[in-house]
Amino acid sequence: MIKKAVLPVAGFGTRFLPASKSIPKEMLPIIDKPLVQYAVEEAINIGVDEIIFIISPEKYSIRKHFEKNEIFESRLKNSDKTEMISKLNPEIFSEIKFHYIDQEEQNGLGHAILQAEKVIGDNSFAVLLPDDLFFSEESCLDQLLNSYKKTNSSVIAVNKVNKEDIHKYGVIKPGDIKNNLIQIEDIVEKPSYENAPSDIAVCGRYIFKPSIFKFLHLTNFDNSGEIQLTDAIKVLLKEEKVHARIYEGEKYDCGSKKGFVHATIALALRDESISKDIKEIIKEII
Ligand code: UTP
């Protein structure tokens, strides 16, 4: 039902300098898998078969990561490490069409999504921001897909955050709430503590109807020279219902150092091959 997903990966990643000087932030690994691969797998697992990266030329390593590597594969074969081939060239990528569209200037998330308009055409589509990492039995995108099927509207993943952190996020003003589904009345980008309409913040997963493009085109650059996705949603809300789905599960903001380390520890404790040792190490450190 949702066959196309947009992954904006063209941002500067300034919070991860100096690492992000030569390595795209989205290629930083949590244990042994780059952040961007977790997001691509999440999309494929709901049935997506076209992945559209909004990228910049210096982030070519993302492209390389999703291409088949025959030379490395034959090296693994020759050195009797054939069991690693499925990690190198995962089978699930073989049927996927990957698109790479350059965002020539980093003019914000809204501007990045706008670059995908031609490839998306008249289809509803998913957007995944790879620096938000989610862990739950039913994936975050799957939860959104179920809500999309129920409402036939654009749906945004949200979660509650501490009011002290509210200024870092897009924040919704909730209308009707039924179970996990909220009808959005309004949305504001990075409000101050005093002006925040709620403590319900937007996370990095969305399903949009193609009408979002009309509103992205109508959105002006803000004071910092960016086209904000939040501003486009704000206007979309005047014409269409948009819902927020309260995400159930773990979420790590890997665009920040704290979230990145948190995710690394949480995943290490889940990884059977190292969890026992890591627990010991943590005990020793404490
Ligand atoms: P962020 O604002 O979290 O990423 O954007 P950033 O700008 O790269 O990081 P900092 O704030 O400088 O540390 C969320 C996602 O949107 C992409 C980013 O690559 C990231 O995946 N993005 C952002 C774009 O593709 N283009 C943009 O112009 C801005």
Side-chain angles (χ1 to χ4, degrees):
M1 190 185 220
I2 299 290
K3 304 304 270 179
K4 301 186 187 201
V6 177
L7 277 77
V9 294
F12 291 125
T14 38
R15 283 169 293 169
F16 267 93
L17 282 169
S20 53
K21 185 179 173 192
S22 59
I23 304 164
K25 168 181 79 170
E26 299 80 6
M27 283 299 289
L28 294 176
I30 303 294
I31 314 290
D32 53 5
K33 195 190 280 187
L35 272 170
V36 66
Q37 188 173 338
Y38 289 98
V40 166
E41 288 176 1
E42 187 180 333
I44 294 173
N45 284 332
I46 68 149
V48 163
D49 57 15
E50 282 189 62
I51 301 280
I52 300 127
F53 286 109
I54 309 303
I55 199 165
S56 61
E58 61 272 23
K59 291 199 172 185
Y60 59 87
S61 61
I62 295 180
R63 188 177 190 139
K64 248 185 127 183
H65 186 73
F66 291 99
E67 278 168 359
K68 220 168 182 274
N69 187 328
E70 311 276 1
I71 297 172
F72 206 157
E73 184 167 326
S74 65
R75 224 182 276 154
L76 288 175
K77 272 183 196 149
N78 295 336
S79 53
D80 226 14
K81 290 184 180 153
T82 42
E83 77 283 359
M84 300 304 283
I85 291 173
S86 63
K87 281 193 189 273
L88 181 72
N89 294 322
E91 187 62 32
I92 54 162
F93 296 160
S94 58
E95 300 296 316
I96 306 301
K97 184 161 186 200
F98 291 98
H99 302 261
Y100 299 88
I101 301 173
D102 279 337
Q103 184 187 20
E104 280 168 16
E105 281 183 70
Q106 277 59 57
N107 289 333
L109 181 57
H111 181 261
I113 295 170
L114 207 41
Q115 311 308 306
E117 186 177 14
K118 268 201 190 133
V119 181
I120 296 294
D122 200 20
N123 300 288
S124 290
F125 63 103
V127 173
L128 298 94
L129 308 188
D131 43 9
D132 270 346
L133 187 61
F134 298 88
F135 276 97
S136 46
E137 224 161 84
E138 187 186 23
S139 77
C140 184
L141 209 50
D142 225 349
Q143 294 178 29
L144 280 191
L145 182 62
N146 287 333
S147 301
Y148 169 78
K149 284 179 188 161
K150 271 190 204 139
T151 60
N152 193 27
S153 71
S154 293
V155 195
I156 298 170
V158 292
N159 69 344
K160 287 199 176 200
V161 299
N162 289 332
K163 213 61 199 288
E164 295 71 47
D165 291 326
I166 206 79
H167 62 280
K168 300 177 188 163
Y169 300 97
V171 179
I172 66 159
K173 180 179 177 199
D176 284 351
I177 305 183
K178 268 194 207 126
N179 300 320
N180 290 321
L181 206 56
I182 303 172
Q183 193 178 323
I184 303 177
E185 274 193 2
D186 196 10
I187 188 162
V188 220
E189 182 65 15
K190 301 192 172 83
S192 63
Y193 183 94
E194 296 76 27
N195 295 330
S198 73
D199 59 353
I200 307 171
V202 174
C203 331
R205 299 289 183 272
Y206 313 76
I207 291 181
F208 286 116
K209 304 201 83 174
S211 53
I212 187 68
F213 288 115
K214 173 177 150 197
F215 299 95
L216 282 168
H217 278 295
L218 293 173
T219 304
N220 292 320
F221 290 93
D222 68 3
N223 292 339
S224 54
E226 296 195 345
I227 294 182
Q228 297 290 351
L229 175 60
T230 309
D231 291 343
I233 298 170
K234 203 179 178 68
V235 192
L236 168 70
L237 278 167
K238 295 190 175 140
E239 290 205 7
E240 277 180 30
K241 283 186 182 165
V242 180
H243 289 87
R245 160 80 195 221
I246 302 172
Y247 164 67
E248 290 165 87
E250 295 163 47
K251 178 200 168 233
Y252 303 99
D253 173 11
C254 296
S256 75
K257 289 189 230 180
K258 184 174 136 193
F260 188 87
V261 175
H262 191 176
T264 305
I265 297 169
L267 262 71
L269 293 177
R270 269 207 186 97
D271 182 331
E272 280 178 11
S273 68
I274 53 172
S275 66
K276 208 166 148 255
D277 290 341
I278 299 296
K279 270 184 206 154
E280 287 304 318
I281 291 168
I282 293 172
K283 262 191 224 153
E284 263 174 52
I285 294 173
I286 291 170

